[in-house]
């Protein structure tokens, strides 16, 4: 470790156990997180290269880490591993002519949004954690968010990158061009690779013109069936810029905290938005209102006021922290093709009843991506075991419905036991071949994904 | 070869030299195309598996082929190789609820567009050759088109696929889900891999609601500088659904054929469209008109009539065949970041003058992707040599301007000598590692890309 420290500027490598302790976990809070040998906080691509070259030569595992807000344990420390935090890599340049931004991975998603907004531009992907998650972590997990139902996910906005490979070689892939068919689509391969193929040190992001003001519809339902019917009716008629769902537990948990007058008796609540230009936003909102009413909504509220609408979107974003106050969460991220959403929601309720655990379902409903939140008390061993059983059974259910075990959080370490069930042995073998080709000594984030 | 024929239904494997002759080249018309040993036309994924398993065991090269409209020689026959045509794989199912289509690779792009249009849906990517190119070839080259300036390229619409690997294993990747972070982004790796990593036998495509009617602006310019200024002015103000350019040679070639009253004296012509909803299309068209006028347009014409607008778009699409009537074409596909477009166009004119060859420039101007058409007479050895020199120098210029040697046609065999200049040795080595991992015996389209 001393030989590596000597290759880096002073203060880049830290071994102080008190500091290391703060980097052992991400927001999966894996109790089995290991004890790393050191933390490196490189400030440049060159320093990342130095770290990986050294680690590859010495066969030392490297766990890359953005802001540590990952929910699947992708950044959980391993015994003896180097933790590589990108927190010091925070530069951004915005080019309004090509509508692109070149960003370093340590910037928060919200910081990218703000920097490009100064040029009248918009970076769409918006994880609920956008104020605390890093753009590098977003790329590593192919993160989604609330507007993805209309605007797509992180990979749709990554035109190029600089990435440091396992042996320390830094390569540039793609660039500020909408079209590029020269060679393999390696840029897209690294997006979503969760630190297992390389460390991204720079991203070239595609931007859009600023999003128009949104109209917002909030609808409550007395049954989950009516709510899922409304979701399908809305997406069949138009492309909302947001279509989010909260169940009764989430509604009440949010209302406990925010006191905004949500209907505590509702079985489900939808927040839908339209950002169609000018008067068409209100027209689309009217279509959404009508779809909800036809599906049997108990109450439907519509507003053109962006601030009022944003308050409902913020309430939905606040659902996870609000439910978290009821107990420790096992946070799911399963997705299904939209027509199977009703079966997924019903099936989750059955699993919760069978395992006698509280499961709150919130969802990016418009794209079929749900976040069942399994509440449990870690000091209650029996309940925790039942929560774990439910966690696995929900993934089994999603797979059986033709879905995915993770829509936007990544596999990390928490879900890797289920990945073979989704992908099958042949795709796992293919994945392993790519991994071995790019990281022959297996130093990059070992134990994640594979 | 007889052992393979016996494994396939009668008529699947063909060795008749007369039939084979029609499959030796694609539209790159490589005079050095080899003599294949046989042509296979499988009808199912299982048959593709059988072919690749046999070829891998017998170390026989396989050149996959869609409709044979490729412009980079990606489907050029090699001596002794098996040609694998997907022309018999033509099924499609459309799901209006998830807004996805599952298509086999042999369908033409236009057939996909028509099939989904019956459900009120739209598959955006639109190569100029959309009526004759296959959807499988589109995926293999990550094809672009005219609407990509607003709607992105093929990879942005591929959610999943079935692909047969070099050893004959058929795998399913992704699926009809907008979000999926489970495992590596292998789907995206196969898009644009030009048949070097596997043979795509099925695609799951994301669809959009039908495109609204478009407003169309046609503007002519007396200088190329004014035209490129107008392009930047338009893209700075809005996102057109089409922004195409033709130079003087192309204008006159099209006018020779179509007699639609184009201004033969113009140095350049832009066709720009807006598909903003309702009255906003006309508003955006007015903004485009104003941007063109400010840039010094000689004449600007605007129409709300979709048919009239489509006639101008069709004229632009007809430019390549029209210029082709002046001689044999070396067809370029270079792209640059948009601010460098003017330098690219000027530089191409200098190269044409220096090499004393006619180069007509047409372009998907809004995304910086140009198609310089180098006209030459193959029976004139000296002119052909100068055309070849210009062909290489234009790619050198694009690379020097931070661009790409191919925006949407692929590298194939025609451009592979320039790929290392664009990507550099480290990315070439990375590409080689992926290729070797997925096709260890090198049977898949050898000589293409790498």
């Amino acid at each position: 470790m001393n030989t590596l420290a000597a290759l880096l500027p002073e203060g880049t490598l830290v071994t102080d156990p008190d500091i290391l302790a703060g980097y052992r976990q991400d927001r999966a809070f894996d109790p089995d997180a290991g004890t790393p040998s050191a933390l490196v906080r490189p400030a440049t691509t060159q320093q990342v290269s130095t770290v990986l070259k050294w680690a590859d030569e010495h066969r030392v595992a490297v766990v890359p880490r953005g802001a540590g807000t990952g929910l699947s344990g992708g950044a959980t420390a391993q015994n003896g591993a180097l933790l590589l935090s990108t927190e010091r890599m925070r530069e951004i340049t915005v080019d309004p002519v090509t509508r692109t931004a070149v960003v370093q991975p340590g910037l928060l998603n919200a910081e990218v949004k703000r920097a490009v907004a100064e040029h009248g531009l918009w970076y769409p992907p918006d994880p609920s954690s956008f104020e605390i998650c890093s753009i590098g972590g977003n790329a590593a997990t192919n993160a989604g968010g609330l507007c993805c139902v209309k605007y797509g996910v992180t990979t749709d906005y990554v035109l190029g990158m600089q990435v440091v490979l396992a042996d320390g070689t830094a390569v540039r892939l793609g660039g500020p061009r909408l079209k590029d068919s020269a060679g393999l689509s390696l840029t897209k391969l690294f997006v979503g690779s969760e630190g297992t193929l390389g460390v991204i040190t720079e991203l070239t992001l595609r931007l859009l013109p600023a999003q128009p003001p949104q109209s917002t519809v909030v609808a409550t339902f007395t049954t989950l069936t009516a709510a899922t019917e409304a979701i399908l009716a809305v997406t069949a008629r138009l492309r909302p810029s947001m279509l989010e769902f909260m169940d009764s537990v989430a509604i009440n948990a949010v209302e406990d905290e925010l006191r905004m007058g949500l209907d505590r008796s509702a079985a489900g609540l939808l927040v839908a938005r339209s950002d169609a230009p000018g008067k068409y936003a209100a027209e689309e909102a009217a279509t959404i209102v009508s779809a909800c009413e036809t599906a049997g909504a108990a109450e439907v509220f519509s507003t053109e006021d962006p601030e009022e609408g944003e308050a409902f979107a913020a309430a939905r974003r606040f659902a996870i922290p609000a439910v978290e106050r009821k107990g420790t969460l096992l946070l799911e991220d399963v997705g299904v093709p939209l027509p199977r959403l009703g079966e997924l929601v019903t099936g989750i309720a059955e699993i919760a009843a069978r395992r006698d655990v509280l499961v709150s379902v919130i969802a990016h409903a418009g794209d079929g991506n749900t976040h069942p939140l399994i509440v449990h008390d870690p000091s209650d061993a029996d309940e925790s075991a039942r929560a774990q059983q439910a966690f696995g059974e929900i993934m089994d259910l999603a797979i059986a419905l033709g879905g995915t075990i993770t829509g936007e959080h990544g596999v990390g370490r928490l879900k890797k036991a289920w990945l073979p069930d989704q992908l099958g042995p042949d795709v796992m073998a293919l994945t392993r071949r790519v991994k071995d080709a790019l990281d022959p000594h297996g130093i990059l984030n070992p134990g994640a994904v594979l």
Side-chain angles (χ1 to χ4, degrees), chain A residues 166-180:
Chain A
D167 67 359
T169 310
V171 297
R172 284 197 173 277
L173 304 171
R177 299 175 294 271
L178 277 176
K179 287 176 175 171
D180 193 347

Side-chain angles (χ1 to χ4, degrees), chain A residues 110-349:
Chain A
E111 292 173 321
V112 172
K113 283 184 186 293
R114 279 197 291 272
V116 308
E118 285 175 22
H119 300 268
L121 296 170
W122 179 38
Y123 174 70
D126 57 346
S128 290
S129 57
F130 76 104
E131 295 183 89
I132 54 171
C133 63
S134 74
I135 194 78
N138 291 177
T141 55
N142 192 16
L146 285 69
C147 74
C148 303
V149 59
K150 182 166 182 177
Y151 290 98
V153 295
T154 302
T155 193
D156 299 315
Y157 294 88
V158 179
L159 295 176
M161 63 171 62
Q162 188 168 40
V163 58
V164 180
L165 306 178
D167 67 359
T169 310
V171 297
R172 284 197 173 277
L173 304 171
R177 299 175 294 271
L178 277 176
K179 287 176 175 171
D180 193 347
S181 289
L184 297 179
S185 302
L186 297 171
T187 303
K188 302 283 188 188
L189 176 64
F190 283 94
V191 176
S193 64
E194 302 193 42
T196 64
L197 301 183
V199 176
I200 297 168
T201 58
E202 186 187 286
L203 291 159
T204 301
L205 301 175
R206 181 169 76 95
L207 306 172
L208 297 184
Q211 187 177 29
Q214 299 182 81
S215 291
T216 306
V217 176
V218 182
T220 55
F221 299 84
T222 52
T223 67
L224 290 179
T225 310
T228 52
E229 268 173 29
I231 291 160
L232 291 179
V234 169
T235 57
R237 296 187 200 183
L238 52 85
R239 290 205 306 155
S241 53
M242 183 184 294
L243 181 49
E244 295 289 318
F245 169 80
M246 292 197 280
D247 73 359
S248 164
V249 175
I251 294 167
N252 280 282
V254 168
E255 186 61 20
D256 284 349
E257 303 291 329
L258 300 184
R259 310 271 172 203
M260 56 194 294
L262 302 180
D263 176 4
R264 287 178 177 276
S265 71
L269 178 148
L270 292 184
V271 183
R273 306 182 85 175
S274 164
D275 65 356
K279 65 166 183 159
Y280 293 104
E283 278 187 18
E284 285 198 348
T287 303
I288 294 170
V289 167
S290 141
C292 290
E293 285 173 349
T294 306
E299 220 178 327
V300 188
F301 167 79
S302 178
T303 176
E304 303 307 301
D305 180 52
E307 270 184 49
E308 198 174 19
E310 185 49 34
F312 287 103
R316 161 56 193 86
R317 277 190 211 100
F318 189 63
I320 294 180
V323 175
E324 207 161 19
R325 302 198 182 172
K326 307 215 163 296
T328 299
L329 298 185
L330 272 173
L331 208 156
E332 272 289 4
D333 177 36
V334 294
V336 289
L338 202 52
R340 316 302 294 268
L341 186 63
E343 288 167 83
L344 179 67
V345 172
T346 313
I348 290 168

Side-chain angles (χ1 to χ4, degrees), chain A residues 11-12 14 19 22-23 39-44 48 64-68 83-91 104-108 111 132 134-137 199-200:
Chain A
T12 303
V14 179
I19 296 178
Y23 287 80
L39 163 72
V40 284
R41 291 182 285 200
T44 65
V48 174
R65 179 184 180 89
L83 300 182
L84 191 162
S85 167
T86 59
E87 70 198 86
R88 289 182 175 171
M89 305 186 72
R90 294 179 42 77
E91 283 177 20
Q104 287 189 332
L107 276 182
L108 302 183
E111 292 173 321
I132 54 171
S134 74
I135 194 78
V199 176
I200 297 168

